[in-house]
């Protein structure tokens, strides 16, 4: 026999427990696209407490759409080890080009990040940041549905040692810090420079250099990193997104271990 209210209690109790435990963490990642999920996977694997807030119902960002909804992704040789480690099937296309299903890659990445211990919350947007003493100390969160409905609902907060902007092209967290704190970002202009036109070779090359700290305790990865530093977009090649997530996890791991 099944009791409907027991089912409801099980869901509400376990969700409430997980989100309460997630209000203080080592790293908050804003955005559950490929770069954010990859960063979450590596950080969780290292034993850090990592929380991902993803705006939409379905994590994955631009990955499931592949290229123009042809649901395949291309990755280059240097990023293939990440897919091998995760257990994603790849096929060789030509020298330096591998193909994978965008859906399988997303499914595996999300599953592996959660299995390693990352706390992934969908339907929650990071709408602002906590900045005390000129350092980012956490994020301000709200139900995406409240914003979609245009309801005036005050938000809640979550604290972390570091925050990652993995919000993709929009680089939302970098923008909000730049706009509201009045301080300069660690970019050539001191602000968000803005993404440049498509150029896969260059976009992938500069992405790893651009993956770094841009304001005390705030890091950028993925497409947001190129948007912040004025790097080109690169179309549906996803190797750089994975490597950028891996790099930001390594930077944070080194940083957090020094504490
Ligand atoms: C919570 C948020 C918020 C917010 C946004 O766009 P993404 O897939 O980002 P990346 O950088 O991991 O991957 C980029 C890739 O998908 C891509 O777009 C490429 C390679 N483009 C090249 C080209 O030429 O177009 O994911 C970002 C995620 C999304 O799921 C958003 O819903 C989410 O972040 N998000 N989540 N709070 N404020 N803003």
């Amino acid at each position: 026999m099944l009791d409907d209210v027991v089912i409801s209690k099980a869901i509400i109790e376990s969700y409430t427990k997980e989100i309460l435990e997630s209000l203080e963490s080592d790293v908050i990642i804003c955005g559950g696209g490929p770069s954010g999920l990859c960063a979450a996977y590596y950080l969780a694997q290292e034993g850090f407490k990592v929380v991902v807030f993803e705006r939409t119902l379905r994590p994955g960002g631009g990955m499931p759409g592949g290229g123009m909804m042809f649901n395949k992704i291309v990755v280059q040789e240097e990023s293939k080890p990440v897919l091998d480690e995760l257990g994603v099937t790849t096929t060789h296309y030509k020298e330096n080009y591998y193909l994978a299903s965008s859906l399988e890659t997303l499914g595996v990445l999300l599953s592996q990040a959660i299995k390693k211990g990352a706390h992934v919350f969908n339907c929650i947007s990071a709408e602002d940041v906590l900045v005390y003493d000129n350092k980012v100390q956490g994020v301000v969160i709200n139900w995406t549905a409240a914003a979609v409905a245009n309801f005036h609902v005050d938000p809640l907060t979550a604290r972390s040692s570091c925050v990652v902007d993995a919000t993709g092209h929009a680089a939302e967290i970098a923008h909000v810090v730049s706009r509201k704190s009045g301080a300069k970002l660690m970019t050539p202009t001191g602000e968000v420079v803005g993404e440049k036109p498509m150029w896969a070779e260059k976009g992938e090359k500069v992405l790893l250099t651009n993956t770094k700290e841009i304001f005390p305790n705030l890091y950028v990865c993925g497409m947001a990193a190129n948007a912040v530093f004025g790097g080109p977009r690169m179309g549906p090649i996803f190797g750089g997104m994975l490597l950028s997530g891996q790099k930001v996890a390594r930077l944070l791991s080194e940083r957090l271990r020094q504490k």
Side-chain angles (χ1 to χ4, degrees):
M1 135 137 184
L2 286 172
D3 183 324
D4 294 283
V5 173
V6 172
I7 296 168
S8 302
K9 282 184 178 171
I11 289 172
I12 294 169
E13 276 174 18
S14 69
Y15 186 93
T16 306
K17 182 170 181 287
E18 185 173 4
I19 199 155
L20 277 174
E21 284 169 2
S22 299
L23 293 184
E24 287 175 300
S25 63
D26 294 316
V27 182
I28 291 173
I29 299 174
C30 303
S35 67
L37 290 175
C38 199
Y41 165 78
Y42 282 108
L43 283 163
Q45 176 162 263
E46 295 255 328
F48 294 107
K49 187 168 174 190
V50 51
V51 177
V52 179
F53 292 118
E54 164 52 43
R55 165 172 291 160
T56 64
L57 184 59
R58 168 213 35 82
M63 182 168 263
M68 217 183 94
M69 294 192 216
F70 295 2
N71 60 6
K72 309 286 177 199
I73 56 165
V74 171
V75 298
Q76 58 276 61
E77 189 77 50
E78 59 176 326
S79 49
K80 186 175 170 284
V82 177
L83 293 184
D84 291 343
E85 175 181 339
L86 289 164
V88 175
T89 312
T90 53
T91 55
H92 187 246
Y93 182 65
K94 282 181 179 207
E95 191 186 343
N96 199 31
Y97 296 87
Y98 291 86
L99 279 160
S101 153
S102 64
L103 297 177
E104 184 193 346
T105 310
L106 167 59
V108 172
L109 195 50
L110 184 56
S111 160
Q112 289 290 333
I114 293 171
K115 272 189 201 298
K116 293 289 176 191
H119 301 278
V120 181
F121 296 96
N122 54 339
C123 307
I124 294 182
S125 296
E127 61 170 52
D128 204 346
V129 283
L130 300 175
V131 178
Y132 316 142
D133 304 328
N134 208 35
K135 291 186 184 116
V136 170
Q137 314 263 1
V139 299
V140 177
I141 53 172
N142 212 334
W143 299 117
T144 307
V148 171
N150 209 15
F151 286 170
H152 181 160
V153 178
D154 277 358
L156 295 173
T157 51
R159 183 182 296 132
S160 59
S161 302
C162 293
V163 171
V164 178
D165 183 342
T167 62
H169 294 267
E172 290 193 16
I173 308 305
H175 273 292
V176 92
V177 170
S178 174
R179 194 174 68 243
K180 288 199 170 178
S181 75
K184 298 248 177 267
L185 303 181
M186 300 166 198
T187 64
T189 61
E191 293 170 0
V192 174
V193 180
E195 159 192 313
K196 295 289 182 292
M198 177 120 75
W199 184 358
E201 169 70 16
K202 186 161 180 218
E204 290 286 272
K205 198 167 273 168
V206 297
L207 179 56
L208 290 191
T209 314
N210 293 341
T211 300
K212 56 185 163 187
E213 191 172 23
I214 57 161
F215 188 83
N217 299 348
L218 176 65
Y219 290 70
V220 268
C221 74
M223 201 57 232
N226 273 10
V228 166
F229 283 97
R233 65 189 299 185
M234 67 295 287
I237 179 151
F238 280 80
M241 297 303 134
L242 303 172
L243 293 175
S244 174
Q246 187 185 43
K247 177 174 174 188
V248 85
R250 181 173 52 73
L251 295 177
L252 287 164
S253 166
E254 287 164 6
R255 155 96 181 257
L256 293 165
R257 285 197 195 292
Q258 280 166 13
K259 280 207 320 182

